[in-house]
Amino acid sequence: MSLYLFVVAALAGPTILPWKDALTKAYQDITDDQVLRSLSYDLARKARSCPARSFAVGSTLSSDLNFSQPVIVNSDVNPVLCLVFSGQGPQHVAMGRELSTVFPVFLSAVKLCDEILVGTYGQKSFLERTGLFIPNEQAKLPENQVWPIEEVVYSIVFMQLALVDLVKSLGIEYTYAIGHSIGEIAMGYASGHYTKKTAVGIAAARATAMAQVSGNGSMAALGACYHRAKYMIKQILADANVEEGLWIAAINSPKDVTIAGDSKLIDKLVLIAQGRKIFVAKLKVTCAFHTPLMDLCEKDFRTMAKLAFAEGTGTPVIRTMSTVDPGWLERDMDEDYCWDNISRPVLFGKAVDDIVKQRGPDNVVFLEISPHPVLQAYINHCGGKAFSLVRRPNPKTPAKNTGEYHQLLEGIGGLFSAGFKAINFAELCATPDGQQDFIQCKLPEYPYNRSKCWSESASDRSMRLREKRRPLASTMFRFNCETHPDLTGHVIFDRPIFPASG
């Protein structure tokens, strides 16, 4: 079933509802694909000049569509887009399957990644052994998201590389990119540092090396600032009578960090945080990433990474904010950088904060490239505006499980409603094979507010428009030196001036 993004825009917020009703009345019975694609394109194109915007996604423009809350967009603001690539955690068995069915470019990218993995790096087919992504295939991984580290790495990287290709094919232009942990692999691809071959090679090196230290520890997300987290770690280590074993693995925002280390100490941290009513969530990973515990796999990683970097790296086409080094990325994303990405803490919060401060909160929007949004809260805590493309199904709220196709169009609609303009709606509304065969849609009359500002009778209008009396210019007030000789000394620029004392 085809879905369409319908953007309803008006000159003022109160006009949104009658304009939507007029459009619905005119097109609610239309099911022709070409007409609906043309209508979607025409509405979006006209909406660029309107400050009040709302949108909905559906198979037809029916009266029961759930339109978003109308927002007012400042036409003088032109925010840029920053892609944000998540790390491990959001993987799930249904990831990318509907996108593979609807968008050939997504499925082709996933298959190409798998071909590179097998043909260039001599690994077993990820798609065959897991059943992920391919339509009508049964997933062979558990639904609890606790997968072998190799499958986690490949699933995240394949999904993100394919999403980058899909975003480009839909005509969405981005200016910046940020990657969280393993997300910097796909960030390198999006920015032009890596080819798809290099990115898959780095993923293979990382997956192979990580497998050597799988089970070396655990990780937990903690809703506390950096200093409070350090104090809690100090307390736990003192109670355990050890000098080390817990580290801050990521600084995600001014209010959030990730802790990694020994599994028993992580469990102790979880209990203490829960007792103090601090948000804490143990992550579904089997390694203590971004800590000294990863040093044991450095040799294995570098050995395999040399093949991935055999052809070097490319010239970036956009700017990237590093989460390894503070600030804009100023060095090559080579083997050394990739190892630092594994072993050093993730400075995600600082990266987002730097972009928000440099561009201004109204001049940049963030789009999370992930199987499920896990970084949006962190971005919001840093003052940014975050959007996502897809989400994993939630068994607790089946009515909200609209599917990846629907969610993708919703995400694009959210970007547009936030004032983001660099969306090529001709490509977005084209056929799956790229044909832009749009036709002219006859839109209903725009619902202008034609009420009069006031009611006025003919006699009232005559009184309002008649010539006004000029009492201070009557003949009895006219004077000159002849009529009033005393004014002879009160002449300025040949004009008599009547003294105030008179």
Side-chain angles (χ1 to χ4, degrees), residues 27 139 230 253 290 309 394 417 444 452:
Y27 283 93
K230 289 286 286 184
S253 82
H290 310 291
F309 289 104
N394 188 346
S417 291
K452 295 182 178 181

Side-chain angles (χ1 to χ4, degrees), residues 226 257 261 333 370 410 454:
Y226 174 83
V257 298
M333 293 184 69
S370 172
E410 275 188 331
W454 61 78

Side-chain angles (χ1 to χ4, degrees), residues 229-303:
K230 289 286 286 184
Y231 180 73
M232 293 176 67
I233 290 175
K234 184 178 180 180
Q235 284 185 313
I236 294 171
L237 295 180
D239 291 343
N241 197 27
V242 294
E243 294 184 357
E244 61 179 19
L246 286 179
W247 296 269
I248 293 181
I251 304 173
N252 299 313
S253 82
K255 303 178 181 180
D256 307 276
V257 298
T258 301
I259 309 298
D262 180 81
S263 297
K264 293 182 179 180
L265 296 178
I266 288 291
D267 292 338
K268 182 67 173 177
L269 172 74
V270 171
L271 290 176
I272 292 177
Q274 290 174 342
R276 298 178 182 178
K277 306 300 182 183
I278 300 174
F279 170 80
V280 65
K282 193 171 181 180
L283 304 184
K284 297 178 180 180
V285 297
T286 57
C287 289
F289 297 103
H290 310 291
T291 72
L293 297 180
M294 302 304 296
D295 291 346
L296 293 175
C297 68
E298 179 178 2
K299 182 177 179 181
D300 292 332
F301 173 78
R302 290 185 179 276
T303 299

Side-chain angles (χ1 to χ4, degrees), residues 315-365:
T315 302
V317 294
I318 64 166
R319 298 192 74 183
T320 54
M321 187 67 77
S322 174
T323 56
V324 175
D325 305 323
W328 295 107
L329 182 62
E330 300 293 346
R331 59 167 164 152
D332 192 12
M333 293 184 69
D334 55 11
E335 174 190 326
D336 292 332
Y337 183 88
C338 289
W339 174 249
D340 289 341
N341 170 275
I342 295 173
S343 59
R344 291 186 187 179
V346 179
L347 306 178
F348 180 77
K350 185 179 188 318
V352 174
D353 185 64
D354 285 348
I355 289 184
V356 171
K357 286 181 177 178
Q358 291 183 30
R359 292 290 311 193
D362 295 329
N363 296 316
V364 60
V365 290

Side-chain angles (χ1 to χ4, degrees), residues 15 25 28 41 48 100 118 146-147 174-175 194 204 274 282 297 306 310 316 332 358 379 405 418 426 432 469 490:
T15 318
K25 184 178 180 180
Q28 61 183 347
Y41 171 65
R48 293 182 185 277
S100 295
V118 175
V146 182
W147 302 347
Y174 52 90
T175 305
Y194 301 149
Q274 290 174 342
K282 193 171 181 180
C297 68
K306 292 187 185 302
D332 192 12
Q358 291 183 30
I379 296 171
Y405 187 13
R469 294 180 60 191
H490 291 265

